[in-house]
Amino acid sequence: MVAFALIPFILAGVSPLSSLAAPLEGLTTTTSLKGAPIFPPLNFGLLCQLPILKDICAREASTSTQVTTPLGVAKGVSDTAGANRFAVKYASATRWAASTVATKWELPNGASDASVLPLACPQPLADPSAYAEDCLSMILYVPTTLKASSGVPTLVWIHGGSFITGSATDPGLSGSKLAIATNSIVAVIQYRLGALGLMAPNGATNLAVKDTINAINFLGKVVPSFGGQASKITLAGQSSGAGMIRALLATPSASSLFQSAILQSDPVNYGFLNVSTQVTLQSTFNGLIGCAATNKACQTSLSVDAIIDAQVTLGNEANTTDPSTGVAEPIRPVRDGTLITTPLDLTAPFPSVNKPILLSNVKNEAAPTIYGMFQSAITSDLFAPVCDVSLGADRTAIVQASPFYNLNVPDTRVPLDTLGTDYMWRCPTWSLARSWVGHGGAGKAFVGVYVTGATYPANNGIAFCLEAGSVCHQDDIYIVFGTTPNPTAAQAALTKEMQARYKAFLTTGSPNAAGLSVWSPATTTTVHAHQLGGTPSPSGEVSVGACDPSFWGAAVDYDYQVYGI
């Protein structure tokens, strides 16, 4: 469905509407030329990289501190939330070449001031002074109580942004409160985005995935110096960040680098790209930049602006070129058979697994798209045409005839939101959980749904997301990090609960902790989706609805099944 598939673009500030065959009546957008919104959501992390604001942002930290590591002396600062903060360059890479792990401790972007935050990786709609190709950096948040012998876990956060936007300085990603609450080291990492990370002209695949592997390798070397234990690394991320983690779970060579994983709002429906689709996209991209696969001099001479312009064009045209790309994340990891070796879905035999995973969604994943596109209530006659754009006639007919999406309501945006959430996020996530627990003794999966959230800045312009009871895509980030501005009692309570559950999960592989309701692990038939926040249901779980295994994934195929990816 166009409405559901567009959400990562809207959140990233990129519009793929030009890829649609025809506009739908009642559809409204705020896009202008070159796919840029007239009023793009502010990325406060990127704003802090502007020269005029760097000093102001840096004042959030004071009191220098340092730690001796095997790679040299790590210089950091004590921030206002009570933890020590260290920014560091974890790897280096020339354009479209594989990155190499850093062999010495070095501040990002040649900085001499340890309080300065790293520049983001190049991305659309960002001020060029806020990013740099030399962007393989991370920020470590370390409780001041830790000693070298503490042996605490490390949580590695991978940001979202549809693989084309985002950074370690995105809103709400200050990890101090999370580190203190979980008694862990929190590392927020960056990786090459878009074409620079996933569309190398010479055909090299998954450079961004390899960047994250190098980030984990770097952490394994240094966290013992800060009080961490290299064998206790848990990956966590939201949206495409969760998709990156799924790619790492499908990478056998990365398996020994981390012990468990937390995936928040992963758009599992898309799956990984297959090799033939990647080749098609790569050929198109090479034509757009005017450089042959072997012409390294041409590739090196390109400006970053030219690369980003070609990337945006590729994203807008990808779905027409190859429908398996979808319209929201056409540039994404590819199952190349060497690094990523399994689709981790229903299309192929599932591999044996042994890691515990925690999978969560929010109640209204699709709401930013539905309510962002349709500014006022719409009637039921628009349900089928909206569905047909992404689902096609056959799947639309099955969905429309099912009892799961009630069209007898005054506003059809309500069932469209439910359907989009089920189709893109919730139901494919539950299918993944069932497969996961069916193929490994230690491979437990815990599934949850947020019914309480905190409005993320990208959702501030969407009236529905500001209504009481709405929990839109990204509204779980502030809750987990404990960075909600002026939290309500309900938000504060859920933050306390989730941080206690994450602390338990980092330590034991289970989110169950003393004083909290029991969170049952999924089985091959029942996922036991735990309700996170709100007034507890009698069972403490959310209803299955259309995520019954006989419906989505069986009666109605996911995109990865339709396109065989």
Side-chain angles (χ1 to χ4, degrees):
M1 299 173 63
V2 58
F4 315 138
L6 289 179
I7 185 170
F9 271 96
I10 287 179
L11 295 178
V14 178
S15 171
L17 293 176
S18 60
S19 67
L20 302 182
L24 295 170
E25 183 178 355
L27 182 76
T28 60
T29 71
T30 56
T31 56
S32 61
L33 296 178
K34 297 184 69 174
I38 297 171
F39 303 108
L42 289 175
N43 185 322
F44 296 102
L46 289 178
L47 287 179
C48 281
Q49 302 313 316
L50 295 175
I52 194 172
L53 296 179
K54 273 189 175 182
D55 290 342
I56 296 174
C57 294
R59 290 173 192 160
E60 296 175 358
S62 60
T63 310
S64 62
T65 185
Q66 61 184 37
V67 173
T68 300
T69 80
L71 304 183
V73 176
K75 296 181 179 180
V77 293
S78 297
D79 68 18
T80 56
N84 292 329
R85 187 184 78 202
F86 300 85
V88 63
K89 177 179 178 178
Y90 70 79
S92 298
T94 57
R95 180 178 290 179
W96 285 314
S99 57
T100 57
V101 181
T103 57
K104 64 178 180 179
W105 188 278
E106 185 179 351
L107 293 175
N109 310 117
S112 58
D113 181 353
S115 70
V116 175
L117 299 173
L119 294 171
C121 291
Q123 54 196 274
L125 302 172
D127 188 300
S129 66
Y131 60 64
E133 283 194 71
D134 179 20
C135 62
L136 298 183
S137 304
M138 65 172 69
I139 306 173
L140 278 68
Y141 298 88
V142 184
T144 57
T145 56
L146 295 188
K147 300 177 181 179
S149 60
S150 296
V152 302
T154 297
L155 184 149
V156 181
W157 181 265
I158 304 177
H159 69 78
S162 300
F163 296 112
I164 59 173
T165 68
S167 73
T169 57
D170 278 350
L173 298 190
S174 175
S176 291
K177 292 180 179 179
L178 180 59
I180 293 168
T182 56
N183 192 40
S184 70
I185 296 168
V186 172
V188 185
I189 71 170
Q190 299 182 164
Y191 47 95
R192 281 176 287 181
L193 299 169
L196 288 165
L198 294 165
M199 204 58 60
N202 67 359
T205 57
N206 296 316
L207 294 178
V209 181
K210 295 172 184 177
D211 291 343
T212 63
I213 292 173
N214 280 338
I216 305 167
N217 274 312
F218 178 86
L219 285 167
K221 295 179 180 180
V222 302
V223 290
S225 302
F226 294 90
Q229 187 167 325
S231 62
K232 295 181 179 179
I233 291 178
T234 294
L235 306 184
Q238 187 269 346
S239 197
S240 62
M244 180 68 82
I245 295 170
R246 180 162 38 87
L248 294 171
L249 290 169
T251 300
S253 60
S255 182
S256 63
L257 301 179
F258 60 101
Q259 65 174 2
S260 54
I262 301 171
L263 289 76
Q264 300 175 204
S265 299
D266 180 9
V268 182
N269 170 74
Y270 279 135
F272 305 125
L273 293 180
N274 61 30
V275 171
S276 63
T277 297
Q278 177 72 13
V279 169
T280 299
L281 294 180
Q282 189 66 68
S283 176
T284 302
F285 180 73
N286 287 8
L288 289 169
I289 60 174
C291 293
T294 57
N295 193 340
K296 190 171 181 180
C298 175
Q299 298 161 21
T300 302
S301 69
L302 292 168
S303 69
V304 172
D305 282 348
I307 294 171
I308 291 177
D309 285 347
Q311 171 191 308
V312 171
T313 300
L314 177 68
N316 286 340
E317 297 178 353
N319 187 240
T320 302
T321 303
D322 186 334
S324 72
T325 62
V327 296
E329 284 185 355
I331 301 174
R332 61 183 189 268
V334 55
R335 178 164 56 96
D336 55 7
T338 54
L339 188 74
I340 301 175
T341 61
T342 173
L344 279 187
D345 60 27
L346 300 174
T347 64
F350 208 85
S352 176
V353 297
N354 59 11
K355 299 181 189 297
I357 60 174
L358 195 156
L359 308 169
S360 64
N361 295 107
V362 300
K363 185 176 67 172
N364 307 108
E365 297 275 18
T369 297
I370 299 300
Y371 290 87
M373 291 173 66
F374 298 101
Q375 303 294 318
S376 57
I378 59 175
T379 56
S380 59
D381 60 316
L382 277 177
F383 186 87
V386 171
C387 292
D388 188 64
V389 172
S390 285
L391 294 180
D394 292 343
R395 286 192 290 175
T396 294
I398 299 171
V399 164
Q400 196 167 16
S402 76
F404 300 115
Y405 306 106
N406 180 19
L407 300 184
N408 295 317
V409 292
D411 187 355
T412 302
R413 292 179 299 178
V414 175
L416 284 173
D417 172 27
T418 302
L419 175 56
T421 297
D422 287 351
Y423 155 63
M424 187 63 63
W425 289 276
R426 190 170 74 107
C427 297
T429 293
W430 291 21
S431 292
L432 172 62
R434 296 186 197 98
S435 295
W436 190 269
V437 301
H439 293 85
K444 292 185 177 180
F446 297 87
V447 178
V449 176
Y450 286 84
V451 300
T452 294
T455 304
Y456 201 67
N459 295 328
N460 280 332
I462 301 168
F464 175 85
C465 294
L466 302 177
E467 294 178 3
S470 298
V471 190
C472 295
H473 190 73
Q474 295 184 294
D475 286 354
D476 50 343
I477 294 175
Y478 279 156
I479 295 294
V480 167
F481 276 81
T483 49
T484 306
N486 304 311
T488 65
Q491 290 168 335
L494 183 57
T495 288
K496 182 177 180 180
E497 174 185 343
M498 293 313 300
Q499 292 183 340
R501 292 193 183 279
Y502 275 29
K503 180 179 181 179
F505 187 77
L506 296 178
T507 306
T508 68
S510 166
N512 287 300
L516 298 177
S517 58
V518 175
W519 188 336
S520 300
T523 70
T524 55
T525 56
T526 307
V527 301
H528 297 296
H530 199 75
Q531 179 179 311
L532 304 174
T535 302
S537 65
S539 65
E541 300 176 1
V542 300
S543 62
V544 175
C547 293
D548 186 287
S550 67
F551 192 69
W552 278 106
V556 186
D557 285 344
Y558 300 120
D559 281 5
Y560 64 70
Q561 293 171 298
V562 171
Y563 298 110
I565 55 176

